[in-house]
Structures are given as C-alpha cells and as structure tokens.
C-alpha cells in the first residue's frame, strides 16, 4: 500500500494531484482542512489536504515499472516548503480520525482486560518450555513472544469485530493475511488498526456515480431483486438531477407487470414535473430512443426479478441491450439486509453484465454492513450510492467507504 498526502486550495485540485501522481486507481482515504497558524493567517488561505492511497500492484500497472516506492517519499508532495516553515502545523482533526481514535481506545482497553485475564508468557515460563542454549538468545526470544502475543491478540480482536459485522471469514482472513506481513511485531494498536482501516477503504475502492459518467452515457438502468428500493432510488436520483443540478431528465419504466409499479413512478414524475415513458419491451424502447436522446439523462426502472427466473433475466438483458453499450450504464440495487448466501446467487445471476455498479439500500435496517464489503470483493463492481430510509429525496447519497470501513472495525456511525 502506498499512501501520500496532497494539499491544494480545493478538494478537487488535491484529488486531481493524487490521481496524477498515484494513477487513476488512487483512493481518497481522508480529507481535512488545514488552517494557517499565527501571522500567516493573514496571508495564507486554508488549504485542503487529501490523503490518498493505492495498492502497490496498481502503482506498478500505472507506471509500468515494478519499482516499489517508499511510503514516506514525497509525503507532503506539494507542500514541503510550507511544512518546513511551519505555516500549517495546526491541523483540524477530521471526524473520521476522531472516530478512529475512540476505536483505538476501545481496542486498547479490551486488550488490556484480556491481558489481565490471560497474561502473556513471561520470560520465566517461556524458559521452562524451551530448551535454551544461550542466555542472550533466550531474552530475545522471550521479547518476541510477548510482542507477537500482543499483535496476535489485537489482530484477533479485530477479526472478531469484522466477523460480528458479517464480513465473511474468507474475506476477514484475506484482509488480515495481507496486512499481517506489513505489521511489525511491536506495532502499536493505533498502527495496526489504521493499517487495516486503510486496507478496507482501499478494498471498497472508488465510488462511481452518475455524474462521473462521460457525457454520452445518458441511459441509466436500475435492476435488481423485488422490493429492494429500485424505484425509490430512481426518485431520489431524479430529484437531485432535476431540482439541484437542473438537468433535463426523463423517467422510463418497463415494469408493466404491476399497475401499481407504473403508478408509483408516475407519482414521482408528476411531483418533479418530468416526463415518464412506459415501455413494454426492448423494441418499444428502441422505437422511442430518438426522442429520448434529447434528454440529458434517462433513468430506466425495471421490474424486480427473482434471480431464479431465467425468462425475466432474458427480458431484462434484451431491454438493456436496446441501448448501445457506450451510451448506457447499469446499477444493480441490493438491500444490505439480504443474506450473504442469497446475495451471492443474485450476483451470479447478473454476472454477464460486465460493468455494473452497486447500490446498497436499507442501511437503516441493519447494524452490520459486512455485505457491502463481501459483495464488493465477490463481484469487483464499483460501489456507488447507498440509501438509509424511505424518505424521498433524502436518506440517499454516495456510499461513504471511510465510514463503512470504520463501522466494520467496530466503530460507531
Ligand atoms: N427502510 C428503508 N426502506 C426503503 C429503503 N429504500 C426503499 N425502501 C422501501 O422499500 C419498499 C420497496 O421500495 P421500491 O422502491 O418500491 O422497491 P423496488 O425495488 O422498486 O420494488 P419492485 O419494483 O417491487 O421490485 C418501499 O416501501 C420503500 O419505501 C431504505 O433505504 N430503507
Ligand atoms: Mg419498483
């Protein structure tokens, strides 16, 4: 993992610098504002500092050279001189860091009480268990045992927390296995926790929203199981694009199986004062495409489908293929409350869609968010939006990967 910090006047500029330097796969780990101190307050603006990271393999593919970079190199890539002059030493702690702090304290306390109940082996009892040849060797070994004991205890606690949050054993072992090698035997709890937190944020990856689409991608399909919140998600996105971004949008529904489904979207279309088109099949969508091309964005609702129903799957595929590949994108809407085994089957049913993105709904209905990480790792699809309630147009927004990583490690929301 390679982590660096970038400072600029705006968040966007700092992120651009990070992507320029680390490649397009760089993930934003943290954003904070840094206020200039003392007399400099008068002359210098507050700057935004973005911490970004990328997995080592991704750097190699970006640069094309297998040449590991040192983590501390160029840590403050664009502000070395400012740092040396001490202009920006007063750093505002971001909310996420404060929450990680409280997490660290909690883990430390837990480890301490574990140690009290189950103290690590002392040099004395290790000595009785091992055949010791030299006195010096013995002391060194003993220290290693104690250090490793602490590290193992901490990793075990984190492992438990992740499993409690429904991250599958497979992915817990994978993530901890990957970081284990990089954590020193005498690493502090803070250090271990931060390393794992960063690894999870990296694994959750970059989120991809509709506004990140190229201009020609204006058709957006929403697909997924029944009752997960596809139509509600569309209403929330439509209201953002129409009322906030002032875009010319159109809603389309192909969910003609239920009268109520058309009525539901029609209600939202009326409230937002946007047109609604109803199509019964793929050829009808093709027929009206020329008219739809006039809009900035076309949001297409589809009927909820059981992943076990092949015919429904074929209809959906045909409908999506009615729009050329380079003009559309697909969002698979999933409820985070669905059992992982079922989510796995659902993901399999959509596996022939190469580049879909994931929306997770009903975050308000569960306290364990492991499924988000599980499905992200299973499908490697990009995460996008999440929803945490029924209130349209609120309770909806970009998936906050930092907050999810924190919650998976036992932190509170
Ligand atoms: N608690 C909670 N309820 C939600 C959320 N998103 C949607 N719902 C509710 O879930 C129910 C189903 O939502 P819809 O948007 O109709 O789901 P759908 O996927 O379009 O359903 P079908 O069209 O029948 O497949 C509604 O009662 C929504 O209000 C959420 O994030 N949290
Ligand atoms: Mg619906």
């Amino acid at each position: 993992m390679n982590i660096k910090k970038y400072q600029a006047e705006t968040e966007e500029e700092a992120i651009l610098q990070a992507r320029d330097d680390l490649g397009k796969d760089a993930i934003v780990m943290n954003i904070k504002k840094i206020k200039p101190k003392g007399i400099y307050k008068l002359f210098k603006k507050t700057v935004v500092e973005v911490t970004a990271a990328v997995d080592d393999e991704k750097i190699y593919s970006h640069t094309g050279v297998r040449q590991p970079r040192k983590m501390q190199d160029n840590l403050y890539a664009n502000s070395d001189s400012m740092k040396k002059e001490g202009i920006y030493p007063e750093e505002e702690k971001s909310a996420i860091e404060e929450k990680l702090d409280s997490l660290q304290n909690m883990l430390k306390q837990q480890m301490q009480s574990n140690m009290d109940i189950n103290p690590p082996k002392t040099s004395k009892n290790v000595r009785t268990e091992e055949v010791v040849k030299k006195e010096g060797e013995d002391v060194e070994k003993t220290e290693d045992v104690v250090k490793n004991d602490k590290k193992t205890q901490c990793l075990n606690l984190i492992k438990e927390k992740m499993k409690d949050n429904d991250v599958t054993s497979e992915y817990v072992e994978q993530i901890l296995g990957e970081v284990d090698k990089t954590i020193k035997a005498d690493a502090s709890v803070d250090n271990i926790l931060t390393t794992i937190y960063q690894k999870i944020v990296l694994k959750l990856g970059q989120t991809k929203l509709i506004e990140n689409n190229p201009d020609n991608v204006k058709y957006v399909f929403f697909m997924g199981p029944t009752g997960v919140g596809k139509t509600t998600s569309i209403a929330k996105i439509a209201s953002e694009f129409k009322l906030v971004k002032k875009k010319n949008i159109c809603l389309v529904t192909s969910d003609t199986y239920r009268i109520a489904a058309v009525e539901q979207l029609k209600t939202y279309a009326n409230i937002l004062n946007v047109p609604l088109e109803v199509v019964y099949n793929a050829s009808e969508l093709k027929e009206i495409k020329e008219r739809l091309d006039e809009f900035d964005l076309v949001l297409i609702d589809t009927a909820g489908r059981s992943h076990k129903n092949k015919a429904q799957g074929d209809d959906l595929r045909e409908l999506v293929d009615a729009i050329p590949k380079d003009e559309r994108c697909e969002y698979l809407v999933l409820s985070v409350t669905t059992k992982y085994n079922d989510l796995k089957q659902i993901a399999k049913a959509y596996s022939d869609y190469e580049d879909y993105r994931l929306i997770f709904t009903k975050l308000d209905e569960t306290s364990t968010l492991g499924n988000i990480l599980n499905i992200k790792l299973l499908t490697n699809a990009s995460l996008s939006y999440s929803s945490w309630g029924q209130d349209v147009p609120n309770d909806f927004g970009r998936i906050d990967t930092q907050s999810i990583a924190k919650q998976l490690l036992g932190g509170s929301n």
Side-chain angles (χ1 to χ4, degrees), residues 226-232 258 264 304 362 364-365 387 389-390:
T226 53
V228 288
K230 296 179 293 300
T231 309
T232 315
R258 294 179 302 118
Q264 186 188 4
K362 312 204 180 184
D364 55 310
E365 290 189 354
S387 96
Q390 295 179 289

Side-chain angles (χ1 to χ4, degrees), residues 390-413:
Q390 295 179 289
D391 186 10
V392 176
N394 303 315
D395 305 336
F396 193 80
R398 182 194 283 270
I399 291 187
D400 182 345
T401 53
Q402 295 169 12
S403 162
I404 288 166
K406 182 174 56 65
Q407 288 184 59
L408 295 181
L409 292 171
S412 60
N413 192 345

